[in-house]
Amino acid sequence: MKALVLTENEVEIRNVAIPEPQEGEVLVKVLYAALNRRDQWIRVGLYPGIRQGSILGSDACGIVEKVGSAKHIAWIGKKVIINPNVNWGEDARHPQLSYTILGMPSHGTFAEYVCVPVHRLHEKPAHLSDSEAAALPLAALTAYRACFYKGEISAGKNVLVTGAGGGVAQFATQFASAAGANVWVTSSSEAQIQLLQAKANIKGGVLYTKADWHKDLFKFTEKEGFDVIIDSAGGNDFNLLIKLCKMSGVIVTYGATLGTAKIDIPSLFFRQATIKGSTMGNDQEFADMVEFVSKHQISPIIDSVRPFSAIVEALNDMAMGKVKGKIVVEM
Amino acid sequence: MKALVLTENEVEIRNVAIPEPQEGEVLVKVLYAALNRRDQWIRVGLYPGIRQGSILGSDACGIVEKVGSAKHIAWIGKKVIINPNVNWGEDARHPQLSYTILGMPSHGTFAEYVCVPVHRLHEKPAHLSDSEAAALPLAALTAYRACFYKGEISAGKNVLVTGAGGGVAQFATQFASAAGANVWVTSSSEAQIQLLQAKANIKGGVLYTKADWHKDLFKFTEKEGFDVIIDSAGGNDFNLLIKLCKMSGVIVTYGATLGTAKIDIPSLFFRQATIKGSTMGNDQEFADMVEFVSKHQISPIIDSVRPFSAIVEALNDMAMGKVKGKIVVEM
């Protein structure tokens, strides 16, 4: 089968053997897979625990084609998505030491077939197309934990999601809005803000490329500020996010595309504010996320569906910030 | 009466009228008052809401000499300490907008007499001398909230308190240890660490002036790291504190003597760690703190007791970091 394999300094499509499901595992024929920034971080060596030779990819929608144990035969022919957690463990707050994510070190979804334990399977949400379902797992899980377990977003709260072009940010925007929060976004693109107004009923947004963008946001909230801010940029402007917090406000951070964050500590403590680091989510959160997405009929924002043969170019486009939603590849 | 008054660019001892207690207030004859960094920040104009002409000082032990309402007559002659909160409000999480602290804008304790509402009074803890009791209110309240409401410190947790020469840090060290936590400290002085080993039964400490101090600390915890870190330094080394956190670790920050903190966001989110800003505490926490201090027979670490006439020099010494505990002034 064809698969995108991590090589010494790159990734490349290679022919490898179709894996054989072991006891408790299933073989999933991948219909669509989706890209995450994690894939690109691994590609360029900026991720912990790199293992050469791994097949990348954490997201997929596929059909169960073969099972390793007869008792799982009912799964055959079902359309599924895969919980990308590997060994989260028993503590809901954080993963255990042996935790990894599907697609390095374990072989992932950028392949015609992938083997996973049967307890990783969830039936494809009925309201989603196969390509939409493929875009869900990793980014929506990350957004779900950031919004609800960490951010404790609920109806009526003022929520800001920064950099709303990213996959996780778009899910966070949709989730917060579906939960009844008043949601604003920052983006580098007016079209992106309009898209989210149409798709997620947000209150509005500002271009972070504009001077004093934070002052406009503060006015939009009638100078109240935000209960919750979901950020993945970090950098020098992180401090402005603290100033945008209400008293007891919470900033949830799951990324640092702009690098090291600077924080003015008195701004933080005079507000009794909190910064919470968040990444991925536990297995219960994955199940809750799938239920939430189904209940609220949320569908991922897809940038494009491309052939698997163009996946390296797709990773390049993602790295260059040339995308406006999830990139899905068709196997 | 003599009082330390905030003037345009300085503080000075002046003669002012003895205040008259109004309905619901009491007049306290100050026996001892204690210094806090807040006083110095106000003195040099680095505090929000500066009001010239205010009498500074948030901490005192005194005797109630006069009451504004006959129904409070039972307080007369009692030795008291004063809860320095003014208008915290109803929300336990944070103070309301009108919140201030005794000693600017309302007249404070660096005076022979101070008027406060009767509901601010607590009887002096029986195990403390008058000068020790004076050192308690502001710093111990700040430490109590940082340790228990924000840090959720409990028995068996690994706790690090940085800069253990400061008043709040010393209380935090004593409180965490009394709660049964395994406590380590950082300090610039070996004598300070030994003092806290004797006085608060801490596990140990490191000199933060030494290269790779964080690596030694990590070894001391048997490479487990810390559940809770209480910090008031900020600055470039703040990031090392994140690396010293256990999974789901919490850093509580109530000061920034070393300035803007830099944070490496992936270090934060891979640990699912949290940074909580904290300052002061609510009225319930003040009452709980007094009870905790009495129950565990905790006494403040006093640097020196000085005459009120030497208070400006005492502020200078505090600003220069020349102190090893609370400075108390005798009125």
Side-chain angles (χ1 to χ4, degrees), chain A residues 242-256:
Chain A
I242 297 175
K243 291 182 196 295
L244 283 170
C245 279
K246 271 190 196 177
M247 292 297 288
S248 296
V250 175
I251 301 175
V252 182
T253 170
Y254 64 91

Side-chain angles (χ1 to χ4, degrees), chain A:
Chain A
M1 66 173 187
K2 286 191 175 133
L4 188 76
V5 177
L6 182 67
T7 62
E8 204 114 334
N9 296 303
E10 242 313 346
V11 287
E12 63 177 35
I13 295 176
R14 286 187 181 171
N15 272 307
V16 300
I18 295 176
E20 192 61 29
Q22 306 298 305
E23 177 79 26
E25 289 184 340
V26 299
L27 181 72
V28 176
K29 179 181 168 66
V30 178
L31 300 172
Y32 294 91
L35 277 59
N36 289 292
R37 286 186 185 275
R38 177 179 189 271
D39 308 313
Q40 178 64 18
W41 293 124
I42 293 171
R43 178 190 179 192
V44 296
L46 294 174
Y47 200 89
I50 294 284
R51 187 183 297 174
Q52 304 298 339
S54 303
I55 298 171
L56 301 190
S58 305
D59 286 346
C61 174
I63 296 178
V64 177
E65 208 168 273
K66 204 170 174 184
V67 295
S69 318
K71 64 182 173 184
H72 298 136
I73 207 151
W75 279 102
I76 287 181
K78 284 203 170 144
K79 275 198 183 160
V80 294
I81 58 172
I82 303 164
N83 173 349
N85 285 329
V86 179
N87 289 327
W88 179 281
E90 295 306 309
D91 194 324
R93 298 172 305 158
H94 56 254
Q96 61 190 350
L97 204 60
S98 63
Y99 175 72
T100 60
I101 296 169
L102 180 64
M104 211 294 291
S106 59
H107 290 319
T109 61
F110 294 159
E112 293 177 74
Y113 293 90
V114 61
C115 261
V116 293
V118 69
H119 55 74
R120 300 294 88 192
L121 300 180
H122 287 253
E123 290 199 41
K124 179 183 84 72
H127 71 290
L128 297 180
S129 70
D130 297 351
S131 57
E132 286 172 334
L136 200 63
L138 188 143
L141 174 62
T142 302
Y144 192 84
R145 165 167 271 238
C147 284
F148 300 120
Y149 181 86
K150 298 272 182 167
E152 300 180 78
I153 289 172
S154 58
K157 286 193 178 175
N158 288 350
V159 174
L160 174 65
V161 181
T162 67
V168 179
Q170 289 177 335
F171 280 119
T173 303
Q174 291 175 285
F175 292 175
S177 196
N182 309 312
V183 185
W184 283 265
V185 299
T186 71
S187 176
S188 59
S189 144
E190 192 62 58
Q192 189 65 245
I193 295 170
Q194 285 165 9
L195 175 70
L196 286 164
Q197 280 177 314
K199 181 119 185 164
N201 196 31
I202 61 169
K203 296 279 177 189
V206 298
L207 299 174
Y208 59 70
T209 48
K210 211 183 127 192
D212 291 340
W213 56 267
H214 62 293
K215 292 183 182 168
D216 288 341
L217 272 174
F218 195 60
K219 278 182 218 150
F220 291 164
T221 65
E222 291 167 3
K223 300 189 182 178
E224 276 200 334
F226 294 92
D227 298 282
V228 186
I229 298 175
I230 310 280
D231 180 64
S232 68
N236 289 340
D237 277 358
F238 192 81
N239 207 45
L240 298 178
L241 302 182
I242 297 175
K243 291 182 196 295
L244 283 170
C245 279
K246 271 190 196 177
M247 292 297 288
S248 296
V250 175
I251 301 175
V252 182
T253 170
Y254 64 91
T257 48
L258 297 179
T260 304
K262 288 186 184 166
I263 59 175
D264 173 46
I265 293 202
S267 296
L268 193 74
F269 67 65
F270 278 125
R271 285 175 179 79
Q272 303 274 352
T274 298
I275 301 168
K276 297 184 180 182
S278 188
T279 185
M280 301 296 287
N282 61 41
D283 294 340
Q284 184 60 51
E285 286 165 328
F286 190 87
D288 292 347
M289 177 277 289
V290 173
E291 191 184 323
F292 186 90
V293 163
S294 299
K295 180 182 167 193
H296 294 282
Q297 302 276 299
I298 290 166
S299 57
I301 296 170
I302 307 290
D303 172 83
S304 49
V305 179
R306 310 186 187 189
F308 180 60
S309 57
I311 190 169
V312 175
E313 192 191 335
L315 283 167
N316 292 342
D317 286 353
M318 186 177 64
M320 304 289 283
K322 286 187 190 167
V323 296
K324 296 185 192 77
K326 298 292 291 180
I327 300 180
V328 175
V329 289
E330 186 174 1
M331 301 310 299

Side-chain angles (χ1 to χ4, degrees), chain B residues 21-22 24-28 64-68 72 75 80 114-118 121:
Chain B
Q22 306 299 304
E25 289 184 341
V26 299
L27 181 72
V28 177
V64 178
E65 207 167 273
K66 204 170 176 184
V67 294
H72 298 137
W75 278 102
V80 294
V114 61
C115 260
V116 293
V118 68
L121 301 180

